[in-house]
Amino acid sequence: MDIERVTTGIKRMFQGVQILFVAFGALVIVPLLTGLDPNVALFTAGIGTLIFQVVTRMKVPIFLASSFAFIPAITYGVATWGIPSTLCGLAAAGLFYVVLSAVIRVFGIGVVNRLFPPIVVGPVICIIGLSLAPVAVGMALGMDGGVQVVPVETALILAGVSLLTTLVIFTFGKGWLKLIPILCGIAVGYALSATLGIINYTKIVEEAWFSIPAFTLPEWNLAAILFIVPVAIAPAIEHFGDILAIGSVTGKNYLEDPGVHRTMLGDGIATFVASFIGGPPNTTYSEVTGAVALTREYNPLIMTAAAVCAIIFAFIGKIGAALHSIPVPVMGGVMILLFGLIASLGINQLVRNRVDLSAQKNIVIVSIILVTGIGGLFIPIGDFKLAGIGLAAIIGVLLNLAIPETQEVKAE
């Protein structure tokens, strides 16, 4: 046996574990917040990453995992139609990516920029974060599904400590530590919760070490499709930014080779497969891009190792049980920062692209998207209704195409 080859393999596996460690906190939060199974999310992150690598010919060092953009849609869908029907809508969102990749291949990326410019995508991303604000605050106050599960005084202490830890690591952390603020915040909050004796370890003890993840198949539901698919517009556009970011780190133009149509196709198929077996939609992780920049290790095989590790961890039942034991206020404290950051990313889209908000067209589009999205406007379509973030995104696209370019808003 070639010792050097074995050594290289062990090194890559260790690097893969590091990548998974960086992505882990954000990866498991989505299923924990939406009622999906975290072990399934681990499995679909691994499978999704491998699918992405096959489609992109092993050229892009990216790890795919749970997308935060779909949290409001999943939460509403699960409460309204149940998990199987919601998965149908999420799988359709994956197919939307596939269609978008075909459009890019035929017409070029310019048509996508025309349909989904920053003036539309920016406020839609803002809505994603702002619509989740009540959820974060409620959890920080110790409430779960409208029920007070932890006394308010205790909940505020746990949420405050978790939030402060996350803030400190996010602001002052160095090296690898800076890449895992969410994980650090949850870990410190969990430790304090254990000290206060409010963690129930029963399920952790009872759960087997080896356990098949709770895979769930989708059920056809047109209402869920109409509600969820438009939500995919924002993360689809963010995909381009993520590909540009990893390209700037590695010094390669992935928009040309393997081509953004291939990266979008890989993301779409990965999301479809993930949703088809009960996992959240996939997306590229900026934390992993930061890890690649830090280590200067650009070999996509490291992401392969991370994907294999994620699949292995998915079959460790006690991991899921331990994740479900995290107290609600701990999650709430971390979510206050995280959901605020999502809203800030939407603002950043407008700033970075120098969108002129003194122009009448732009201010009209932003205003209507924000109010319709946050206000909960819906359009009934027979027995279905188009609502929420998806409706706001569609309205933004139509307004951008219909309203002619205008001059600056004149002062009164």
Side-chain angles (χ1 to χ4, degrees), residues 56-333:
T56 58
R57 302 171 181 172
M58 291 288 295
K59 292 184 176 181
V60 189
I62 273 184
F63 185 82
L64 270 62
S66 312
S67 172
F68 282 85
F70 289 90
I71 292 177
I74 298 174
T75 302
Y76 177 86
V78 170
T80 306
W81 305 295
I83 290 179
S85 292
T86 302
L87 293 174
C88 176
L90 297 175
L95 294 180
F96 170 78
Y97 291 155
V98 174
V99 172
L100 193 57
S101 72
V103 171
I104 294 170
R105 178 163 189 156
V106 175
F107 299 103
I109 197 172
V111 67
V112 177
N113 293 331
R114 168 65 176 151
L115 290 173
F116 312 122
I119 190 60
V120 173
V121 176
V124 168
I125 295 174
C126 282
I127 293 172
I128 293 171
L130 294 176
S131 64
L132 291 168
V135 176
V137 172
M139 294 175 70
L141 291 172
M143 302 186 71
D144 185 11
V147 179
Q148 194 74 45
V149 295
V150 178
V152 174
E153 296 80 4
T154 304
L156 287 174
I157 292 173
L158 293 174
V161 170
S162 301
L163 174 59
L164 182 61
T165 302
T166 307
L167 281 172
V168 170
I169 300 301
F170 182 78
T171 306
F172 303 107
K174 303 294 183 182
W176 280 96
L177 195 62
K178 188 177 180 64
L179 300 174
I180 53 172
I182 297 173
L183 200 57
C184 290
I186 293 176
V188 172
Y190 194 91
L192 179 58
S193 302
T195 302
L196 297 177
I198 64 172
I199 297 178
N200 186 350
Y201 299 101
T202 303
K203 291 185 178 179
I204 301 177
V205 174
E206 293 177 349
E207 185 65 57
W209 279 102
F210 176 80
S211 177
I212 303 296
F215 297 116
T216 305
L217 295 177
E219 292 179 358
W220 173 258
N221 190 310
L222 182 58
I225 293 174
L226 292 174
F227 182 79
I228 294 175
V229 167
V231 178
I233 292 174
I237 302 305
E238 281 294 292
H239 174 92
F240 301 136
D242 292 334
I243 298 300
L244 285 171
I246 190 65
S248 66
V249 169
T250 61
K252 297 181 179 180
N253 186 354
Y254 296 121
L255 297 182
E256 295 291 336
D257 184 22
V260 72
H261 64 283
R262 281 189 173 274
T263 62
M264 181 64 72
L265 178 62
D267 202 341
I269 297 176
T271 291
F272 175 80
V273 172
S275 302
F276 200 82
I277 59 177
N282 281 319
T283 190
T284 52
Y285 270 14
S286 58
E287 296 96 329
V288 172
T289 300
V292 172
L294 182 66
T295 61
R296 298 185 181 278
E297 294 286 350
Y298 307 144
N299 193 329
L301 285 175
I302 295 173
M303 303 303 161
T304 305
V308 171
C309 291
I311 293 171
I312 292 173
F313 289 169
F315 290 90
I316 302 177
K318 289 189 182 295
I319 289 181
L323 291 171
H324 279 297
S325 72
I326 299 173
V328 168
V330 173
M331 297 288 290

